[in-house]
Amino acid sequence: MDRSDFTMDLENNNNTQLTGEEPEKCAGKRKSVITPENEEGEIKRLKTEDPRIVDAVPRPPLQSPKKRLQLNGKPKHNKDLSFTYGNYKHYYGKRILDKDFRDIRMDVLGTQPDLFRGKQLLDIGCNSGHLSIQIAKTFGAKSLVGLDIDRGLVKDAQNTISHLKRQAGPEQGFPHNMRFVQGNYVLEDDVLLEIERPQFDVILCLSVTKWIHLNFCDSGLKQAFRRMYLQLRPGGKLILEPQSFDGYKRRKKLSEQIRENYNSIKFRPDQFTEYLLGPEVGFDKMELMGTPEHCEAGFKRPIQIFTKK
């Protein structure tokens, strides 16, 4: 809150209104003289005759508006509420193996580099963009769009790509057709799926399904799967890294709405493949790409490839 919103009565330490007569009274008091003969008696009189001197309680010093607000019990910010979409600022700290920001999932993705070479990619839930950039740069993607619901993370990704572009020389072949945008992949209404058109060769959805599920329930996740299919060109690939349902429970306390959504879930991760290959979506086949082995146990998630007819 701006300090200009506050006014303080600073006329005196008691915060009382001055009447205009005080200067004369104070001047009169300053004229009185205490001689050595009556000094000791005067001190005793002040100590014994004026009970205000004995009983007065020292007033606390004046404090700034900001400090007063803190003392009055300013509501504490619940940090967990900032990450209800899984948009953790330091998410890649659990995934990165070295100072060059090499995500360990690159070992699995690198088994099929032709999936990305010369292709147009969409990365849903790209976070701060480290993995998206690695994929596009390492495997020579034609273009990349990174999408995340968190505006701050998208800004971080934009800053990263701008910095890398300035540093990269022509001989490095750094893909310049990259952009990061802020938005919610789940549409407000299923009717909007009718205007979707194929525009990507590969869609990445890595460790995002849990957060779509917890925030938008079964219907939101199923709609997202159908949208992925519609946005892929014929023969296009969905690279999916779903979280297990055991991991949902640890996050259900993030908010009351998340708890309600968690309790309503019927569509479990072990049913995703059947749904994606079924008539509601229509992928032709699924193959297991691999599972990262040398990371924390909670991140050992299978990476699957779904192919569009």
Side-chain angles (χ1 to χ4, degrees):
M1 187 172 292
D2 195 303
R3 292 176 181 271
S4 62
D5 293 337
F6 292 87
T7 58
M8 293 180 62
D9 183 5
L10 298 178
E11 281 82 358
N12 55 36
N13 288 336
N14 294 320
N15 292 326
T16 56
Q17 297 294 324
L18 298 178
T19 62
E21 300 177 357
E22 285 72 13
E24 295 183 3
K25 292 181 180 179
C26 293
K29 289 180 181 179
R30 285 197 296 271
K31 291 179 182 178
S32 62
V33 179
I34 300 177
T35 62
E37 289 77 8
N38 63 11
E39 182 176 3
E40 183 178 354
E42 182 68 14
I43 292 174
K44 289 181 179 179
R45 184 186 67 79
L46 289 173
K47 287 183 176 180
T48 58
E49 294 182 5
D50 192 345
R52 292 174 299 174
I53 302 300
V54 178
D55 299 332
V57 178
R59 293 180 61 84
L62 291 173
Q63 292 162 325
S64 68
K66 182 177 180 180
K67 180 66 70 174
R68 294 209 312 272
L69 281 174
Q70 292 172 348
L71 291 175
N72 289 337
K74 186 177 180 180
K76 293 183 178 180
H77 176 62
N78 185 348
K79 292 182 179 180
D80 287 340
L81 293 179
S82 300
F83 307 116
T84 55
Y85 298 104
N87 48 323
Y88 297 105
K89 303 294 181 184
H90 304 291
Y91 171 76
Y92 285 105
K94 301 291 187 182
R95 296 284 200 172
I96 292 169
L97 286 179
D98 52 44
K99 64 181 181 179
D100 295 323
F101 298 102
R102 183 172 65 88
D103 190 297
I104 57 180
R105 288 170 291 184
M106 288 292 288
D107 296 340
V108 175
L109 300 175
T111 62
Q112 299 190 43
D114 290 340
L115 284 177
F116 310 100
R117 189 170 291 115
K119 303 297 175 60
Q120 292 180 288
L121 314 181
L122 169 65
D123 186 9
I124 301 168
C126 64
N127 199 269
S128 55
H130 289 302
L131 181 59
S132 312
I133 294 168
Q134 285 182 57
I135 292 171
K137 180 180 178 182
T138 304
F139 305 127
K142 180 180 180 180
S143 67
L144 165 74
V145 176
L147 174 73
D148 201 276
I149 201 168
D150 188 297
R151 192 176 302 277
L153 291 175
V154 169
K155 184 177 180 181
D156 290 343
Q158 291 169 336
N159 291 338
T160 299
I161 198 66
S162 297
H163 175 71
L164 292 174
K165 284 181 179 179
R166 288 193 298 268
Q167 286 190 329
E171 68 282 357
Q172 292 179 278
F174 190 85
H176 285 251
N177 193 13
M178 293 188 191
R179 62 191 178 97
F180 292 91
V181 295
Q182 185 272 332
N184 183 2
Y185 193 73
V186 178
L187 301 171
E188 292 184 6
D189 195 293
D190 285 0
V191 71
L192 295 173
L193 292 173
E194 297 176 10
I195 62 174
E196 291 291 352
R197 296 292 180 269
Q199 53 184 311
F200 299 105
D201 301 306
V202 177
I203 293 179
L204 295 145
C205 183
L206 305 176
S207 291
V208 176
T209 53
K210 176 176 73 175
W211 300 107
I212 296 177
H213 219 169
L214 287 174
N215 283 278
F216 304 103
C217 304
D218 292 351
S219 59
L221 182 57
K222 287 181 176 181
Q223 182 212 82
F225 283 152
R226 296 198 300 275
R227 189 181 184 194
M228 293 173 200
Y229 180 86
L230 293 171
Q231 288 187 326
L232 283 170
R233 296 188 176 100
K237 310 288 185 178
L238 166 63
I239 301 179
L240 184 68
E241 182 192 25
Q243 296 104 315
S244 68
F245 194 70
D246 292 341
Y248 287 42
K249 187 176 181 179
R250 292 193 296 270
R251 301 303 179 191
K252 70 177 183 178
K253 297 180 181 179
L254 285 173
S255 72
E256 186 57 36
Q257 185 61 57
I258 293 286
R259 183 191 296 273
E260 291 179 10
N261 293 348
Y262 171 81
N263 291 331
S264 71
I265 289 175
K266 307 296 183 191
F267 180 47
R268 300 298 180 91
D270 58 7
Q271 299 171 300
F272 291 176
T273 296
E274 181 182 358
Y275 180 76
L276 287 163
L277 297 176
E280 284 193 56
V281 182
F283 281 102
D284 185 46
K285 62 180 180 178
M286 185 278 286
E287 61 182 298
L288 179 64
M289 193 176 197
T291 303
E293 291 297 337
H294 46 290
C295 60
E296 293 190 13
F299 290 98
K300 291 182 179 180
R301 301 164 184 162
I303 297 177
Q304 305 167 317
I305 305 174
F306 291 86
T307 303
K308 183 173 181 178
K309 295 179 182 179

